Amino acid sequence: MCPCPYHLQEKLVGTRINPGRSCNDILIRRGGQLRSGPYWVTFESSAYPYYVFCDMETAGGGWTLVTKVKGNDVLMNRVNAAQWRDGRLMGSTTNLVNENALGLAYTALQFRDVMIRSLTDGRKHLAWRHPVTFRSIQSIVKNCTRISNGYKLSGSIQQLDYKGNPIYHNDCTELVYGFMGGDSSHATTTVAGCAKGHKHGHTGAVIGAFLDPPSGDRKTPNQDFKCISDFGIGGGYISMTNLVGRYAINAHYWSSGNSNTNSWNSHGVFVR
């Protein structure tokens, strides 16, 4: 942040005196060359400036941090209605400290683009774009709205931050990106209170990548067989009866379930 005199801060977008409307707004209005870090924004629904971490470098920059989800942790999985459905704030989204967190941007920031990235390495990311602007991530989740029209901008599931054999992180060739994805034929499982799920194991993700339409045990002509067909943050395995099945960051590897794709490091979700 700028250690500038008070009279110069008045002209500098992204300070408490002159907050931007989002991290992307700050990046554009300050010429497109900024370091990542905390900046001040004022969301449309908030009457006061809000301090938030901005990724100004990954995949074009301008990303506002919405939530942080710890890897190999159960707190932010699909049964946590307090956060995913209600948008109850927790932790801090002003930094990339390894913790579970949910910030005001989750309920208040409009967006088209979404990015999931490692908390420690911005090169490990997956970013996509939707053709329309959404009011907020919470508005999608709260209404149980399945969104499957996102297309990839940068990165891949293979590049995300995980431990284990890379062979189990191949992307299926027909993945789409969005929200509440999964196989609705298994409607007995829920994601944050919504009836969604994958009948082979991985529940529909709150935020992530999946096949659409979900093909279940049918194989579409251009689809790989041994690949990740569902990946998500805010999900969980179908039965949730064992520890790895309850992890909030989860993936379904076609023909191998969750057994080889459950060891993810912590990631943040960003929008712009």
Side-chain angles (χ1 to χ4, degrees):
M1 294 302 295
C2 175
C4 310
Y6 188 89
H7 70 282
L8 292 180
Q9 289 188 41
E10 290 181 319
K11 299 180 180 180
L12 200 61
V13 181
T15 62
R16 187 169 188 173
I17 302 167
N18 187 18
R21 293 186 296 272
S22 68
C23 295
N24 199 39
D25 175 58
I26 295 169
L27 183 66
I28 292 171
R29 292 168 66 187
R30 285 178 58 175
Q33 295 268 338
L34 289 176
R35 290 184 178 181
S36 299
Y39 292 83
W40 289 94
V41 299
T42 301
F43 300 127
E44 187 175 333
S45 61
S46 63
Y48 54 88
Y50 185 76
Y51 207 37
V52 67
F53 185 88
C54 298
D55 184 331
M56 298 300 198
E57 299 157 85
T58 305
W63 299 96
T64 303
L65 179 60
V66 171
T67 182
K68 295 184 293 187
V69 178
K70 293 184 69 174
N72 295 1
D73 191 85
V74 303
L75 179 62
M76 297 290 281
N77 67 20
R78 60 177 167 84
V79 300
N80 189 342
Q83 265 69 48
W84 294 121
R85 295 295 303 280
D86 301 338
R88 185 182 302 170
L89 304 184
M90 65 177 294
S92 173
T93 52
T94 65
N95 55 58
L96 297 182
V97 171
N98 186 19
E99 63 175 338
N100 290 299
L102 192 77
L104 186 60
Y106 177 76
T107 64
L109 185 59
Q110 295 184 352
F111 70 94
R112 285 186 64 192
D113 299 347
V114 184
M115 178 174 70
I116 296 171
R117 59 149 285 192
S118 165
L119 293 183
T120 59
D121 186 351
R123 294 170 298 179
K124 298 178 179 180
H125 70 271
L126 168 63
W128 67 87
R129 171 168 294 170
H130 294 278
V132 298
T133 298
F134 297 108
R135 183 161 54 89
S136 68
I137 293 184
Q138 185 197 24
S139 68
I140 297 171
V141 176
K142 193 171 183 178
N143 292 326
C144 299
T145 306
R146 177 187 171 95
I147 305 293
S148 58
N149 58 10
Y151 60 92
K152 189 166 67 174
L153 294 173
S154 178
S156 73
I157 297 170
Q158 301 170 52
Q159 293 178 339
L160 292 176
D161 197 359
Y162 64 92
K163 302 180 284 289
N165 192 334
I167 193 173
Y168 294 108
H169 288 260
N170 297 323
D171 299 3
C172 288
T173 57
E174 298 177 356
L175 288 178
V176 294
Y177 305 88
F179 303 87
M180 313 305 293
D183 191 342
S184 58
S185 66
H186 201 297
T188 58
T189 60
T190 61
V191 180
C194 304
K196 305 284 181 182
H198 190 294
K199 66 182 180 181
H200 286 310
H202 182 261
T203 65
V206 171
I207 307 165
F210 46 92
L211 293 175
D212 186 35
S215 49
D217 52 11
R218 301 189 308 275
K219 185 179 178 183
T220 54
N222 299 319
Q223 185 190 317
D224 307 322
F225 184 67
K226 289 186 176 292
C227 57
I228 289 183
S229 59
D230 294 87
F231 162 81
I233 285 182
Y237 213 53
I238 201 167
S239 65
M240 306 280 281
T241 57
N242 56 58
L243 179 59
V244 298
R246 298 195 301 270
Y247 288 158
I249 304 177
N250 229 304
H252 174 243
Y253 184 78
W254 199 318
S255 82
S256 182
N258 182 56
S259 58
N260 297 293
T261 52
N262 55 59
S263 191
W264 301 87
N265 293 319
S266 301
H267 289 72
V269 178
F270 298 73
V271 299
R272 70 180 178 191

Tab-separated table of all heavy atoms in Angstrom, residues 8-62:
chain	number	residue	atom	x	y	z
A	8	LEU	N	-2.152	13.108	-1.179
A	8	LEU	CA	-1.960	12.271	-2.356
A	8	LEU	C	-2.862	11.042	-2.321
A	8	LEU	O	-3.309	10.555	-3.363
A	8	LEU	CB	-0.501	11.839	-2.456
A	8	LEU	CG	0.508	12.951	-2.755
A	8	LEU	CD1	1.913	12.378	-2.838
A	8	LEU	CD2	0.158	13.672	-4.054
A	9	GLN	N	-3.151	10.520	-1.116
A	9	GLN	CA	-4.039	9.370	-0.998
A	9	GLN	C	-5.440	9.686	-1.509
A	9	GLN	O	-6.156	8.798	-1.977
A	9	GLN	CB	-4.107	8.914	0.460
A	9	GLN	CG	-2.843	8.263	0.973
A	9	GLN	CD	-3.033	7.667	2.344
A	9	GLN	OE1	-4.067	7.057	2.619
A	9	GLN	NE2	-2.050	7.834	3.206
A	10	GLU	N	-5.841	10.943	-1.412
A	10	GLU	CA	-7.173	11.328	-1.876
A	10	GLU	C	-7.349	11.028	-3.362
A	10	GLU	O	-8.455	10.759	-3.833
A	10	GLU	CB	-7.404	12.821	-1.611
A	10	GLU	CG	-7.563	13.167	-0.141
A	10	GLU	CD	-7.808	14.647	0.059
A	10	GLU	OE1	-7.162	15.453	-0.636
A	10	GLU	OE2	-8.656	14.991	0.898
A	11	LYS	N	-6.261	11.067	-4.124
A	11	LYS	CA	-6.328	10.846	-5.570
A	11	LYS	C	-6.023	9.400	-5.948
A	11	LYS	O	-6.230	9.012	-7.097
A	11	LYS	CB	-5.335	11.776	-6.271
A	11	LYS	CG	-5.607	13.258	-6.049
A	11	LYS	CD	-4.577	14.106	-6.767
A	11	LYS	CE	-4.845	15.593	-6.547
A	11	LYS	NZ	-3.847	16.445	-7.232
A	12	LEU	N	-5.520	8.613	-5.013
A	12	LEU	CA	-5.069	7.266	-5.317
A	12	LEU	C	-6.193	6.265	-5.051
A	12	LEU	O	-6.599	6.067	-3.902
A	12	LEU	CB	-3.858	6.926	-4.444
A	12	LEU	CG	-2.957	5.790	-4.919
A	12	LEU	CD1	-2.354	6.103	-6.278
A	12	LEU	CD2	-1.848	5.545	-3.898
A	13	VAL	N	-6.711	5.642	-6.098
A	13	VAL	CA	-7.810	4.689	-5.950
A	13	VAL	C	-7.322	3.430	-5.235
A	13	VAL	O	-6.255	2.899	-5.537
A	13	VAL	CB	-8.388	4.303	-7.331
A	13	VAL	CG1	-9.555	3.327	-7.167
A	13	VAL	CG2	-8.825	5.534	-8.092
A	14	GLY	N	-8.110	2.973	-4.261
A	14	GLY	CA	-7.766	1.773	-3.526
A	14	GLY	C	-7.317	2.042	-2.116
A	14	GLY	O	-6.996	1.106	-1.378
A	15	THR	N	-7.311	3.305	-1.722
A	15	THR	CA	-7.003	3.656	-0.346
A	15	THR	C	-8.302	3.798	0.435
A	15	THR	O	-9.396	3.832	-0.144
A	15	THR	CB	-6.227	4.973	-0.286
A	15	THR	OG1	-7.043	6.028	-0.821
A	15	THR	CG2	-4.935	4.889	-1.087
A	16	ARG	N	-8.178	3.909	1.753
A	16	ARG	CA	-9.382	4.059	2.570
A	16	ARG	C	-10.106	5.364	2.256
A	16	ARG	O	-11.331	5.436	2.303
A	16	ARG	CB	-9.005	4.008	4.061
A	16	ARG	CG	-10.210	3.985	4.978
A	16	ARG	CD	-9.819	3.676	6.403
A	16	ARG	NE	-10.997	3.462	7.230
A	16	ARG	CZ	-10.950	3.041	8.487
A	16	ARG	NH1	-9.770	2.773	9.055
A	16	ARG	NH2	-12.052	2.858	9.181
A	17	ILE	N	-9.349	6.387	1.909
A	17	ILE	CA	-9.939	7.682	1.583
A	17	ILE	C	-10.643	7.643	0.235
A	17	ILE	O	-11.673	8.288	0.032
A	17	ILE	CB	-8.847	8.769	1.576
A	17	ILE	CG1	-8.158	8.827	2.943
A	17	ILE	CG2	-9.419	10.130	1.222
A	17	ILE	CD1	-6.876	9.622	2.945
A	18	ASN	N	-10.103	6.853	-0.699
A	18	ASN	CA	-10.655	6.776	-2.055
A	18	ASN	C	-10.746	5.317	-2.489
A	18	ASN	O	-9.977	4.858	-3.337
A	18	ASN	CB	-9.779	7.570	-3.023
A	18	ASN	CG	-10.399	7.666	-4.407
A	18	ASN	OD1	-11.596	7.446	-4.597
A	18	ASN	ND2	-9.573	7.981	-5.397
A	19	PRO	N	-11.672	4.552	-1.905
A	19	PRO	CA	-11.768	3.118	-2.227
A	19	PRO	C	-12.274	2.884	-3.645
A	19	PRO	O	-12.998	3.706	-4.212
A	19	PRO	CB	-12.771	2.595	-1.196
A	19	PRO	CG	-13.603	3.785	-0.842
A	19	PRO	CD	-12.691	4.964	-0.908
A	20	GLY	N	-11.879	1.740	-4.216
A	20	GLY	CA	-12.411	1.339	-5.512
A	20	GLY	C	-13.697	0.561	-5.347
A	20	GLY	O	-14.140	0.261	-4.241
A	21	ARG	N	-14.307	0.195	-6.477
A	21	ARG	CA	-15.540	-0.599	-6.433
A	21	ARG	C	-15.240	-2.099	-6.384
A	21	ARG	O	-16.101	-2.888	-6.022
A	21	ARG	CB	-16.408	-0.267	-7.659
A	21	ARG	CG	-16.951	1.153	-7.663
A	21	ARG	CD	-17.911	1.377	-8.821
A	21	ARG	NE	-17.258	1.240	-10.105
A	21	ARG	CZ	-16.654	2.239	-10.746
A	21	ARG	NH1	-16.591	3.430	-10.204
A	21	ARG	NH2	-16.085	2.043	-11.924
A	22	SER	N	-14.027	-2.460	-6.782
A	22	SER	CA	-13.558	-3.841	-6.735
A	22	SER	C	-12.059	-3.806	-7.005
A	22	SER	O	-11.498	-2.762	-7.362
A	22	SER	CB	-14.254	-4.703	-7.797
A	22	SER	OG	-13.847	-4.300	-9.099
A	23	CYS	N	-11.408	-4.950	-6.876
A	23	CYS	CA	-9.983	-5.006	-7.202
A	23	CYS	C	-9.753	-4.725	-8.675
A	23	CYS	O	-8.773	-4.064	-9.048
A	23	CYS	CB	-9.427	-6.379	-6.829
A	23	CYS	SG	-9.446	-6.732	-5.048
A	24	ASN	N	-10.641	-5.204	-9.524
A	24	ASN	CA	-10.503	-4.957	-10.963
A	24	ASN	C	-10.666	-3.477	-11.287
A	24	ASN	O	-9.954	-2.924	-12.137
A	24	ASN	CB	-11.523	-5.790	-11.735
A	24	ASN	CG	-11.158	-5.943	-13.195
A	24	ASN	OD1	-9.988	-6.112	-13.538
A	24	ASN	ND2	-12.144	-5.895	-14.068
A	25	ASP	N	-11.595	-2.821	-10.626
A	25	ASP	CA	-11.788	-1.386	-10.799
A	25	ASP	C	-10.521	-0.623	-10.414
A	25	ASP	O	-10.093	0.306	-11.123
A	25	ASP	CB	-12.974	-0.922	-9.952
A	25	ASP	CG	-13.174	0.576	-9.988
A	25	ASP	OD1	-13.353	1.126	-11.096
A	25	ASP	OD2	-13.159	1.206	-8.911
A	26	ILE	N	-9.903	-1.015	-9.302
A	26	ILE	CA	-8.662	-0.366	-8.858
A	26	ILE	C	-7.549	-0.577	-9.880
A	26	ILE	O	-6.822	0.351	-10.244
A	26	ILE	CB	-8.244	-0.914	-7.481
A	26	ILE	CG1	-9.276	-0.537	-6.423
A	26	ILE	CG2	-6.858	-0.396	-7.094
A	26	ILE	CD1	-9.076	-1.253	-5.094
A	27	LEU	N	-7.418	-1.815	-10.367
A	27	LEU	CA	-6.369	-2.139	-11.331
A	27	LEU	C	-6.510	-1.306	-12.596
A	27	LEU	O	-5.532	-0.745	-13.110
A	27	LEU	CB	-6.422	-3.629	-11.668
A	27	LEU	CG	-5.336	-4.159	-12.610
A	27	LEU	CD1	-3.963	-4.079	-11.958
A	27	LEU	CD2	-5.647	-5.588	-13.036
A	28	ILE	N	-7.729	-1.209	-13.108
A	28	ILE	CA	-7.965	-0.460	-14.352
A	28	ILE	C	-7.708	1.026	-14.154
A	28	ILE	O	-7.026	1.677	-14.958
A	28	ILE	CB	-9.410	-0.700	-14.842
A	28	ILE	CG1	-9.581	-2.158	-15.289
A	28	ILE	CG2	-9.761	0.258	-15.977
A	28	ILE	CD1	-11.012	-2.550	-15.574
A	29	ARG	N	-8.218	1.571	-13.076
A	29	ARG	CA	-8.123	3.011	-12.853
A	29	ARG	C	-6.715	3.468	-12.463
A	29	ARG	O	-6.402	4.653	-12.541
A	29	ARG	CB	-9.143	3.445	-11.806
A	29	ARG	CG	-10.582	3.319	-12.297
A	29	ARG	CD	-11.592	3.462	-11.183
A	29	ARG	NE	-11.603	4.800	-10.615
A	29	ARG	CZ	-12.303	5.128	-9.528
A	29	ARG	NH1	-13.023	4.201	-8.905
A	29	ARG	NH2	-12.260	6.353	-9.060
A	30	ARG	N	-5.883	2.491	-12.079
A	30	ARG	CA	-4.501	2.839	-11.745
A	30	ARG	C	-3.510	2.341	-12.787
A	30	ARG	O	-2.314	2.242	-12.534
A	30	ARG	CB	-4.151	2.314	-10.350
A	30	ARG	CG	-4.800	3.163	-9.265
A	30	ARG	CD	-4.553	2.688	-7.860
A	30	ARG	NE	-3.146	2.607	-7.494
A	30	ARG	CZ	-2.720	2.309	-6.267
A	30	ARG	NH1	-3.600	2.061	-5.302
A	30	ARG	NH2	-1.442	2.241	-6.005
A	31	GLY	N	-4.020	2.066	-13.974
A	31	GLY	CA	-3.141	1.829	-15.113
A	31	GLY	C	-2.745	0.406	-15.387
A	31	GLY	O	-1.945	0.138	-16.286
A	32	GLY	N	-3.289	-0.567	-14.625
A	32	GLY	CA	-3.065	-1.973	-14.946
A	32	GLY	C	-1.750	-2.558	-14.484
A	32	GLY	O	-1.404	-3.666	-14.867
A	33	GLN	N	-0.982	-1.860	-13.638
A	33	GLN	CA	0.277	-2.389	-13.141
A	33	GLN	C	0.338	-2.176	-11.633
A	33	GLN	O	0.725	-1.109	-11.163
A	33	GLN	CB	1.467	-1.682	-13.806
A	33	GLN	CG	1.577	-1.934	-15.295
A	33	GLN	CD	2.468	-3.127	-15.624
A	33	GLN	OE1	3.314	-3.522	-14.828
A	33	GLN	NE2	2.272	-3.714	-16.792
A	34	LEU	N	-0.046	-3.192	-10.873
A	34	LEU	CA	-0.052	-3.091	-9.421
A	34	LEU	C	0.424	-4.396	-8.797
A	34	LEU	O	0.294	-5.466	-9.398
A	34	LEU	CB	-1.461	-2.784	-8.897
A	34	LEU	CG	-2.034	-1.386	-9.141
A	34	LEU	CD1	-3.471	-1.336	-8.639
A	34	LEU	CD2	-1.190	-0.324	-8.461
A	35	ARG	N	0.944	-4.309	-7.597
A	35	ARG	CA	1.303	-5.507	-6.847
A	35	ARG	C	0.079	-6.074	-6.134
A	35	ARG	O	-0.828	-5.329	-5.753
A	35	ARG	CB	2.379	-5.178	-5.813
A	35	ARG	CG	3.746	-4.860	-6.407
A	35	ARG	CD	4.762	-4.653	-5.299
A	35	ARG	NE	6.092	-4.402	-5.845
A	35	ARG	CZ	7.175	-4.197	-5.107
A	35	ARG	NH1	7.076	-4.217	-3.775
A	35	ARG	NH2	8.341	-3.986	-5.672
A	36	SER	N	0.070	-7.368	-5.950
A	36	SER	CA	-0.992	-8.001	-5.169
A	36	SER	C	-0.851	-7.608	-3.705
A	36	SER	O	0.252	-7.380	-3.214
A	36	SER	CB	-0.918	-9.521	-5.302
A	36	SER	OG	-1.088	-9.925	-6.641
A	37	GLY	N	-1.993	-7.541	-3.014
A	37	GLY	CA	-1.990	-7.181	-1.603
A	37	GLY	C	-3.344	-6.647	-1.200
A	37	GLY	O	-4.300	-6.672	-1.985
A	38	PRO	N	-3.483	-6.130	0.017
A	38	PRO	CA	-4.777	-5.601	0.472
A	38	PRO	C	-5.033	-4.191	-0.036
A	38	PRO	O	-4.127	-3.348	-0.041
A	38	PRO	CB	-4.628	-5.626	1.999
A	38	PRO	CG	-3.156	-5.512	2.236
A	38	PRO	CD	-2.472	-6.178	1.078
A	39	TYR	N	-6.257	-3.954	-0.469
A	39	TYR	CA	-6.697	-2.642	-0.937
A	39	TYR	C	-8.074	-2.355	-0.343
A	39	TYR	O	-8.767	-3.252	0.138
A	39	TYR	CB	-6.782	-2.600	-2.473
A	39	TYR	CG	-5.442	-2.697	-3.167
A	39	TYR	CD1	-4.837	-3.934	-3.401
A	39	TYR	CD2	-4.783	-1.550	-3.610
A	39	TYR	CE1	-3.610	-4.022	-4.045
A	39	TYR	CE2	-3.555	-1.628	-4.270
A	39	TYR	CZ	-2.977	-2.861	-4.483
A	39	TYR	OH	-1.755	-2.951	-5.113
A	40	TRP	N	-8.479	-1.105	-0.447
A	40	TRP	CA	-9.784	-0.692	0.064
A	40	TRP	C	-10.804	-0.617	-1.072
A	40	TRP	O	-10.535	-0.050	-2.131
A	40	TRP	CB	-9.693	0.679	0.748
A	40	TRP	CG	-8.959	0.656	2.047
A	40	TRP	CD1	-7.632	0.911	2.248
A	40	TRP	CD2	-9.507	0.341	3.327
A	40	TRP	NE1	-7.308	0.775	3.572
A	40	TRP	CE2	-8.440	0.432	4.268
A	40	TRP	CE3	-10.782	-0.003	3.777
A	40	TRP	CZ2	-8.623	0.194	5.627
A	40	TRP	CZ3	-10.964	-0.247	5.134
A	40	TRP	CH2	-9.903	-0.148	6.037
A	41	VAL	N	-11.971	-1.213	-0.834
A	41	VAL	CA	-13.071	-1.167	-1.808
A	41	VAL	C	-14.358	-0.801	-1.071
A	41	VAL	O	-14.465	-0.952	0.150
A	41	VAL	CB	-13.253	-2.528	-2.525
A	41	VAL	CG1	-12.000	-2.908	-3.299
A	41	VAL	CG2	-13.616	-3.622	-1.544
A	42	THR	N	-15.320	-0.323	-1.814
A	42	THR	CA	-16.662	-0.089	-1.274
A	42	THR	C	-17.653	-0.801	-2.170
A	42	THR	O	-17.861	-0.405	-3.316
A	42	THR	CB	-17.012	1.404	-1.209
A	42	THR	OG1	-16.066	2.076	-0.387
A	42	THR	CG2	-18.402	1.600	-0.628
A	43	PHE	N	-18.239	-1.875	-1.675
A	43	PHE	CA	-19.223	-2.603	-2.452
A	43	PHE	C	-20.539	-1.835	-2.476
A	43	PHE	O	-20.830	-1.030	-1.582
A	43	PHE	CB	-19.452	-4.001	-1.857
A	43	PHE	CG	-18.198	-4.837	-1.839
A	43	PHE	CD1	-17.762	-5.433	-0.670
A	43	PHE	CD2	-17.452	-5.023	-2.989
A	43	PHE	CE1	-16.618	-6.211	-0.635
A	43	PHE	CE2	-16.301	-5.795	-2.974
A	43	PHE	CZ	-15.876	-6.386	-1.800
A	44	GLU	N	-21.334	-2.094	-3.485
A	44	GLU	CA	-22.596	-1.376	-3.661
A	44	GLU	C	-23.504	-1.486	-2.446
A	44	GLU	O	-24.216	-0.549	-2.084
A	44	GLU	CB	-23.312	-1.909	-4.906
A	44	GLU	CG	-24.546	-1.140	-5.282
A	44	GLU	CD	-25.151	-1.640	-6.579
A	44	GLU	OE1	-24.410	-2.177	-7.428
A	44	GLU	OE2	-26.377	-1.503	-6.744
A	45	SER	N	-23.482	-2.655	-1.785
A	45	SER	CA	-24.391	-2.875	-0.659
A	45	SER	C	-23.785	-2.475	0.686
A	45	SER	O	-24.436	-2.623	1.719
A	45	SER	CB	-24.801	-4.349	-0.604
A	45	SER	OG	-23.658	-5.167	-0.414
A	46	SER	N	-22.536	-1.999	0.682
A	46	SER	CA	-21.902	-1.634	1.946
A	46	SER	C	-21.749	-0.120	2.034
A	46	SER	O	-21.429	0.546	1.051
A	46	SER	CB	-20.534	-2.312	2.093
A	46	SER	OG	-19.652	-1.866	1.085
A	47	ALA	N	-21.967	0.405	3.218
A	47	ALA	CA	-21.904	1.855	3.414
A	47	ALA	C	-20.532	2.296	3.907
A	47	ALA	O	-20.338	3.468	4.210
A	47	ALA	CB	-22.974	2.286	4.411
A	48	TYR	N	-19.573	1.374	3.978
A	48	TYR	CA	-18.266	1.709	4.514
A	48	TYR	C	-17.184	1.017	3.682
A	48	TYR	O	-17.436	-0.004	3.034
A	48	TYR	CB	-18.167	1.248	5.972
A	48	TYR	CG	-18.502	-0.209	6.174
A	48	TYR	CD1	-17.525	-1.196	6.061
A	48	TYR	CD2	-19.812	-0.604	6.458
A	48	TYR	CE1	-17.833	-2.528	6.228
A	48	TYR	CE2	-20.124	-1.947	6.632
A	48	TYR	CZ	-19.133	-2.899	6.515
A	48	TYR	OH	-19.447	-4.221	6.679
A	49	PRO	N	-15.968	1.547	3.670
A	49	PRO	CA	-14.872	0.902	2.931
A	49	PRO	C	-14.542	-0.458	3.534
A	49	PRO	O	-14.636	-0.658	4.746
A	49	PRO	CB	-13.712	1.885	3.092
A	49	PRO	CG	-14.329	3.171	3.468
A	49	PRO	CD	-15.559	2.824	4.262
A	50	TYR	N	-14.117	-1.370	2.679
A	50	TYR	CA	-13.843	-2.744	3.082
A	50	TYR	C	-12.442	-3.112	2.610
A	50	TYR	O	-12.093	-2.912	1.445
A	50	TYR	CB	-14.893	-3.660	2.460
A	50	TYR	CG	-14.818	-5.109	2.867
A	50	TYR	CD1	-15.256	-5.525	4.117
A	50	TYR	CD2	-14.330	-6.074	1.988
A	50	TYR	CE1	-15.201	-6.859	4.489
A	50	TYR	CE2	-14.270	-7.410	2.346
A	50	TYR	CZ	-14.706	-7.794	3.601
A	50	TYR	OH	-14.647	-9.115	3.974
A	51	TYR	N	-11.623	-3.607	3.505
A	51	TYR	CA	-10.239	-3.977	3.215
A	51	TYR	C	-10.217	-5.421	2.735
A	51	TYR	O	-10.719	-6.321	3.415
A	51	TYR	CB	-9.427	-3.835	4.498
A	51	TYR	CG	-7.956	-3.554	4.342
A	51	TYR	CD1	-7.465	-2.725	3.345
A	51	TYR	CD2	-7.040	-4.107	5.242
A	51	TYR	CE1	-6.118	-2.445	3.236
A	51	TYR	CE2	-5.682	-3.840	5.155
A	51	TYR	CZ	-5.227	-3.009	4.142
A	51	TYR	OH	-3.880	-2.736	4.048
A	52	VAL	N	-9.636	-5.688	1.568
A	52	VAL	CA	-9.688	-7.026	1.007
A	52	VAL	C	-8.415	-7.304	0.206
A	52	VAL	O	-7.797	-6.381	-0.335
A	52	VAL	CB	-10.935	-7.185	0.106
A	52	VAL	CG1	-10.827	-6.311	-1.143
A	52	VAL	CG2	-11.167	-8.638	-0.279
A	53	PHE	N	-8.038	-8.566	0.142
A	53	PHE	CA	-6.860	-8.945	-0.636
A	53	PHE	C	-7.202	-8.955	-2.121
A	53	PHE	O	-8.205	-9.518	-2.544
A	53	PHE	CB	-6.343	-10.324	-0.226
A	53	PHE	CG	-5.067	-10.706	-0.915
A	53	PHE	CD1	-3.845	-10.357	-0.369
A	53	PHE	CD2	-5.092	-11.391	-2.117
A	53	PHE	CE1	-2.652	-10.687	-1.014
A	53	PHE	CE2	-3.908	-11.729	-2.773
A	53	PHE	CZ	-2.687	-11.379	-2.215
A	54	CYS	N	-6.323	-8.346	-2.923
A	54	CYS	CA	-6.475	-8.307	-4.378
A	54	CYS	C	-5.292	-9.020	-5.033
A	54	CYS	O	-4.138	-8.698	-4.736
A	54	CYS	CB	-6.516	-6.871	-4.881
A	54	CYS	SG	-7.890	-5.868	-4.278
A	55	ASP	N	-5.586	-9.973	-5.893
A	55	ASP	CA	-4.548	-10.585	-6.723
A	55	ASP	C	-4.483	-9.761	-8.004
A	55	ASP	O	-5.363	-9.849	-8.860
A	55	ASP	CB	-4.882	-12.041	-7.021
A	55	ASP	CG	-3.783	-12.754	-7.804
A	55	ASP	OD1	-3.063	-12.092	-8.569
A	55	ASP	OD2	-3.660	-13.984	-7.678
A	56	MET	N	-3.443	-8.967	-8.137
A	56	MET	CA	-3.290	-8.058	-9.267
A	56	MET	C	-2.368	-8.613	-10.351
A	56	MET	O	-2.069	-7.899	-11.307
A	56	MET	CB	-2.737	-6.718	-8.765
A	56	MET	CG	-3.636	-5.998	-7.786
A	56	MET	SD	-5.253	-5.608	-8.525
A	56	MET	CE	-5.835	-4.324	-7.395
A	57	GLU	N	-1.972	-9.894	-10.224
A	57	GLU	CA	-0.970	-10.418	-11.147
A	57	GLU	C	-1.393	-11.699	-11.867
A	57	GLU	O	-1.039	-11.910	-13.028
A	57	GLU	CB	0.329	-10.667	-10.367
A	57	GLU	CG	0.898	-9.391	-9.756
A	57	GLU	CD	1.799	-9.664	-8.570
A	57	GLU	OE1	2.984	-9.918	-8.801
A	57	GLU	OE2	1.309	-9.619	-7.424
A	58	THR	N	-2.128	-12.577	-11.218
A	58	THR	CA	-2.480	-13.868	-11.814
A	58	THR	C	-3.551	-13.705	-12.884
A	58	THR	O	-4.537	-12.992	-12.689
A	58	THR	CB	-2.991	-14.837	-10.729
A	58	THR	OG1	-2.020	-14.945	-9.686
A	58	THR	CG2	-3.254	-16.213	-11.319
A	59	ALA	N	-3.362	-14.355	-14.031
A	59	ALA	CA	-4.375	-14.410	-15.094
A	59	ALA	C	-4.974	-13.044	-15.410
A	59	ALA	O	-6.184	-12.883	-15.493
A	59	ALA	CB	-5.485	-15.393	-14.707
A	60	GLY	N	-4.121	-12.048	-15.563
A	60	GLY	CA	-4.583	-10.709	-15.916
A	60	GLY	C	-4.836	-9.791	-14.742
A	60	GLY	O	-4.997	-8.580	-14.913
A	61	GLY	N	-4.895	-10.332	-13.516
A	61	GLY	CA	-5.074	-9.522	-12.324
A	61	GLY	C	-6.485	-8.996	-12.136
A	61	GLY	O	-7.407	-9.299	-12.906
A	62	GLY	N	-6.676	-8.213	-11.080
A	62	GLY	CA	-7.977	-7.625	-10.779
A	62	GLY	C	-8.913	-8.538	-10.014
A	62	GLY	O	-10.123	-8.312	-9.998
